[in-house]
Amino acid sequence: MALRHEKRLLQKSEINLGREGTAQAANFPELRNEIVALKKLEQEQKEVTLRIARIEEGIKKIEQERQQNAREQSETIAKLEAEKKPLLQRRNQTKNNVDVCERELAAVERRIRESEAADRDLLKQLSDLHALDPAPADLDARSASINTRLARLPEERAELVRARLGSAEAARLATGKMNAAEAELSAVEKNIARTRSEFEARNRKLNDNIRAQQEAARNARAQHQTVEERKNPAYLNIGRHLAAQGVAPPNAPNLLTEAHRRREAVDRHLAHKAELASLSSQIDKQELRKFYFSIFSVLVLLAITLLVIFQSPRGREWLPQETDTILSINADQFERADVARRWRKDQPKLWPALIGAAASTPGLNLPRDATRITRAIASNETGETREFVLVEARRAAPKIIQAIADDKAFQKRAISGLPVWERPPDFAVSRVGPATLAVGAPTAVDELVLVRLGMKPDLKITGQLFDRFQALDRESAVRLISRDPPDLSRVFNPIFTPELLDAAQLLGLAINLQNPVKARVLIKVNSSKNAAEVARNLHDNPQQWLRLPDSELLLYARPPEILRQSSSNLELRFEVPENSARLLLERLAKTDAAPVVTAH
């Protein structure tokens, strides 16, 4: 590979030397053929260059024609639009006149119908009056009044009929004027459309011509480059001859030095290659096969190892498969948050109660040495609740294990080779990872060890909701997820309303204790229809769904933002008031006060 690279560099340097030293090549008769070939190729390049210049000149002319066409189109269309404007105004005016005439005609028609209806009504009144038995005392007077009104109706109706004829004639004349105005306007609009179409067709033709000329220019430039590359063999021969004769062009003497240096490098690589070939011929073929077999075996073993690594299950917490609820506490976030530090100072019992059995881990300052504490709750078929605690240290755990081993209160035993230290009556510790400790009751620690050794099935945290829950770790101080939401009220003091717990199939909560306190609630329901109904209830009635039970406190400071992640997954984002966040942590730790006191 190095030899091929040096040969390419040598060839390039000799071509450069030949290109600059063409004038000196005339002094060598043996290079006459190369010079003749170069002159022919240069003549061809001149012709191509001339053709490129003509094409570019044609492109400039076409571009000027296109600009002129655009100016003419703008001027012509502006002129036609100016002619169209008074016609449009006249059409609108005549249309308004037609509307007025039609309204007047409709009003006259309505009055005629009212007159006819009044006539029928008066005749009915007169008939009803004469049909009365006995006849009323004022029969004559009432009959005379009705007859007087009946006598006036024909004259009024005649006036209305004459008015209707006049209105109809006015409407007909106005409609004729409107039709004439619309015809003139339509003719102008057609003329504008035809003119615009003609200019656009001319512009398209000019664009096609420009594209054709540009394509011809690209082809000509490609041909020029091809001719230039065809000159390289002649330049190469000239450069090799000049390098062999030691002739350098006056304007670039460094090219000769470069060619000699590249030639020496190629010669060194050729000598080295010959030496390697001689050594290879002396090697025992059987030993060479063994060497290649060893390399091949290592590569196959590496491929198998990588395959096993990439196919290994991801996202495991090494918790028992029966785990229903996980409470994860990020000690770093809890330590950095000003709100959390103030609460820990006001309520010293909050932190130990929140982390559970992890507070009893010897030789470990949890706020300083731990990064995460995970509490998992599992229920068996009989309803018995078991708690598992994992403590993830900031660095590897050998020092902690050494401190526990030196403590005489602990007794060491092993489960399938994995050591467990037990302190009577009810505390045990075991290392289940490079920096992870299992702590708590001896039976719980033994089960975590069996899970870690693969002797019992573990909880595989997979799925979209679990993945998003895992992604909240870096920004959340407290995370909670449950595969049995209605059971949360039994595991912890109530933190969610029964409506929300009954509607959720899987429920997750993440709290960031910075200022302001922010929370995310992840909800998975049975179907997309139920998801839409839950989202609607949360949007329309959040004060009922997002409140702390047995308290007047709401979980949100402002109405939550509801995101529909998929057909059955919802995500709520909202800010939590400080007193609500504090009570929420107290209920997770089971250190909250009585409901009545909390409400006050």
Side-chain angles (χ1 to χ4, degrees):
M1 290 175 62
L3 177 60
R4 285 197 296 269
H5 176 67
E6 290 296 338
K7 284 185 176 180
R8 285 195 297 270
L9 294 179
L10 172 61
Q11 186 179 25
K12 187 182 296 185
S13 63
E14 289 175 342
I15 290 174
N16 293 334
L17 178 61
R19 182 178 287 110
E20 296 295 331
T22 306
Q24 284 72 30
N27 300 326
F28 301 95
E30 55 271 22
L31 297 177
R32 184 176 303 166
N33 293 334
E34 282 75 8
I35 295 175
V36 171
L38 286 175
K39 288 182 178 179
K40 291 181 179 179
L41 294 174
E42 288 174 354
Q43 181 62 31
E44 185 176 352
Q45 279 187 321
K46 288 180 182 179
E47 295 175 359
V48 174
T49 303
L50 183 61
R51 185 163 72 251
I52 292 174
R54 287 198 298 266
I55 292 173
E56 290 178 348
E57 185 65 25
I59 291 175
K60 290 181 181 179
K61 291 181 180 179
I62 296 174
E63 185 65 32
Q64 292 175 357
E65 291 179 7
R66 189 169 63 174
Q67 294 175 358
Q68 179 66 23
N69 181 66
R71 287 194 296 269
E72 291 178 359
Q73 179 182 359
S74 177
E75 294 172 358
T76 305
I77 296 299
K79 183 178 179 181
L80 293 176
E81 289 288 346
E83 295 176 1
K84 173 186 172 182
K85 187 174 180 180
L87 296 177
L88 182 62
Q89 294 175 350
R90 191 192 312 169
R91 196 278 307 271
N92 293 337
Q93 184 176 0
T94 56
K95 188 175 181 180
N96 292 333
N97 293 338
V98 169
D99 293 340
V100 171
C101 292
E102 289 179 349
R103 286 196 298 271
E104 292 179 355
L105 181 60
V108 173
E109 292 284 354
R110 185 179 66 256
R111 292 177 61 189
I112 291 175
R113 289 193 298 273
E114 292 174 353
S115 177
E116 292 175 350
D119 190 8
R120 289 192 298 272
D121 185 55
L122 290 174
L123 289 176
K124 185 176 182 301
Q125 292 179 13
L126 185 61
S127 176
D128 294 341
L129 184 63
H130 285 287
L132 293 176
D133 188 19
D138 57 345
L139 176 63
D140 295 337
R142 292 169 65 181
S143 299
S145 174
I146 293 173
N147 288 328
T148 301
R149 292 164 62 187
L150 283 172
R152 289 199 303 269
L153 287 178
E155 184 178 354
E156 293 177 357
R157 192 178 300 113
E159 291 179 359
L160 291 174
V161 169
R162 289 192 296 271
R164 180 175 63 181
L165 294 175
S167 298
E169 181 64 20
R172 185 183 63 79
L173 294 176
T175 301
K177 292 181 180 179
M178 184 185 70
N179 293 336
E182 286 183 345
E184 294 179 0
L185 181 62
S186 178
V188 173
E189 288 178 345
K190 289 181 179 178
N191 189 20
I192 292 174
R194 185 179 64 256
T195 303
R196 182 178 283 111
S197 177
E198 292 174 356
F199 278 108
E200 289 177 353
R202 192 184 309 168
N203 191 56
R204 284 195 298 270
K205 184 178 179 181
L206 292 174
N207 288 337
D208 294 340
N209 292 339
I210 285 181
R211 282 195 292 270
Q213 294 293 331
Q214 289 174 345
E215 182 65 24
R218 282 195 295 269
N219 294 336
R221 292 190 183 96
Q223 183 182 358
H224 189 279
Q225 182 63 28
T226 302
V227 174
E228 182 65 29
E229 292 174 356
R230 286 165 55 192
K231 294 162 65 175
N232 286 339
Y235 285 140
L236 180 60
N237 291 334
I238 293 174
R240 286 178 177 174
H241 193 80
L242 294 178
Q245 298 296 329
V247 178
N251 56 340
N254 59 304
L255 295 179
L256 179 61
T257 305
E258 178 71 13
H260 285 167
R261 186 170 63 86
R262 294 299 178 188
R263 171 60 66 181
E264 292 174 358
V266 170
D267 292 340
R268 283 197 306 271
H269 280 288
L270 287 173
H272 184 60
K273 182 180 179 182
E275 183 180 356
L276 291 178
S278 176
L279 293 175
S280 298
S281 62
Q282 300 173 10
I283 295 176
D284 185 6
K285 303 301 181 184
Q286 186 62 26
E287 294 294 331
L288 193 60
R289 292 190 190 96
K290 291 180 181 179
F291 172 75
Y292 286 141
F293 178 76
S294 302
I295 296 296
F296 177 75
S297 301
V298 170
L299 293 177
V300 170
L301 185 60
L302 180 61
I304 294 174
T305 305
L306 293 176
L307 182 63
V308 171
I309 291 174
F310 286 112
Q311 292 297 325
S312 297
R314 300 169 57 190
R316 295 190 176 185
E317 290 280 359
W318 303 112
L319 296 170
Q321 191 177 26
E322 300 83 10
T323 301
D324 294 324
T325 303
I326 300 175
L327 175 63
S328 178
I329 302 164
N330 190 322
D332 289 339
Q333 298 288 342
F334 217 93
E335 183 67 19
R336 287 198 296 266
D338 296 334
V339 176
R341 287 203 300 268
R342 185 171 70 252
W343 293 345
R344 288 173 57 184
K345 184 181 296 185
D346 297 341
Q347 286 190 335
K349 296 181 179 180
L350 176 62
W351 174 252
L354 190 63
I355 63 178
S360 303
T361 307
L364 189 65
N365 186 343
L366 291 176
R368 184 191 64 208
D369 300 333
T371 59
R372 184 173 61 171
I373 298 99
T374 302
R375 296 174 60 189
I377 292 89
S379 301
N380 55 19
E381 297 178 354
T382 61
E384 180 186 357
T385 300
R386 296 170 298 159
E387 181 174 347
F388 306 94
V389 181
L390 293 174
V391 179
E392 186 176 333
R394 192 175 303 277
R395 55 186 63 87
K399 293 184 179 179
I400 304 171
I401 296 299
Q402 186 62 39
I404 296 173
D406 295 340
D407 192 344
K408 296 182 179 181
F410 282 89
Q411 299 175 2
K412 181 180 179 181
R413 55 187 174 84
I415 300 178
S416 297
L418 193 64
V420 177
W421 286 269
E422 184 176 347
R423 183 178 63 191
D426 58 354
F427 186 78
V429 181
S430 179
R431 181 182 179 186
V432 294
T436 305
L437 300 176
V439 300
T443 56
V445 173
D446 292 348
E447 188 168 351
L448 287 175
V449 170
L450 295 176
V451 169
R452 185 62 182 89
L453 293 173
M455 302 171 67
K456 292 193 65 174
D458 64 310
L459 176 66
K460 298 171 179 60
I461 300 181
T462 57
Q464 183 182 14
L465 194 62
F466 272 113
D467 292 340
R468 286 172 34 231
F469 178 74
Q470 290 289 87
L472 298 175
D473 184 44
R474 292 185 178 179
E475 59 186 63
S476 303
V478 178
R479 294 182 303 152
L480 173 69
I481 192 165
S482 176
R483 295 193 295 181
D484 186 10
D487 195 50
L488 280 176
S489 298
R490 184 179 62 85
V491 176
F492 304 103
N493 288 349
I495 56 175
F496 291 113
T497 60
E499 295 88 348
L500 184 59
L501 295 177
D502 293 338
Q505 184 182 13
L506 193 149
L507 183 66
L509 169 68
I511 302 177
N512 183 350
L513 294 180
Q514 300 299 327
N515 193 9
V517 179
K518 295 182 180 180
R520 291 187 182 182
V521 177
L522 310 176
I523 306 172
K524 181 179 181 181
V525 297
N526 293 328
S527 63
S528 58
K529 182 179 179 181
N530 293 340
E533 183 178 355
V534 171
R536 183 171 61 254
N537 291 331
L538 288 169
H539 180 270
D540 297 341
N541 197 9
Q543 65 275 9
Q544 178 181 353
W545 286 66
L546 295 176
R547 60 180 175 82
L548 286 164
D550 302 326
S551 169
E552 298 178 357
L553 298 178
L554 298 176
L555 285 173
Y556 60 90
R558 288 189 293 271
E561 178 186 0
I562 303 174
L563 303 177
R564 186 83 173 268
Q565 298 294 342
S566 64
S567 60
S568 60
N569 289 343
L570 298 175
E571 179 177 345
L572 309 181
R573 298 181 182 181
F574 51 87
E575 293 182 3
V576 184
E578 185 174 334
N579 52 355
S580 299
R582 181 170 181 172
L583 179 58
L584 178 63
L585 290 183
E586 290 173 355
R587 291 192 174 183
L588 289 176
K590 295 186 177 182
T591 61
D592 56 317
V596 176
V597 178
T598 303
H600 287 297

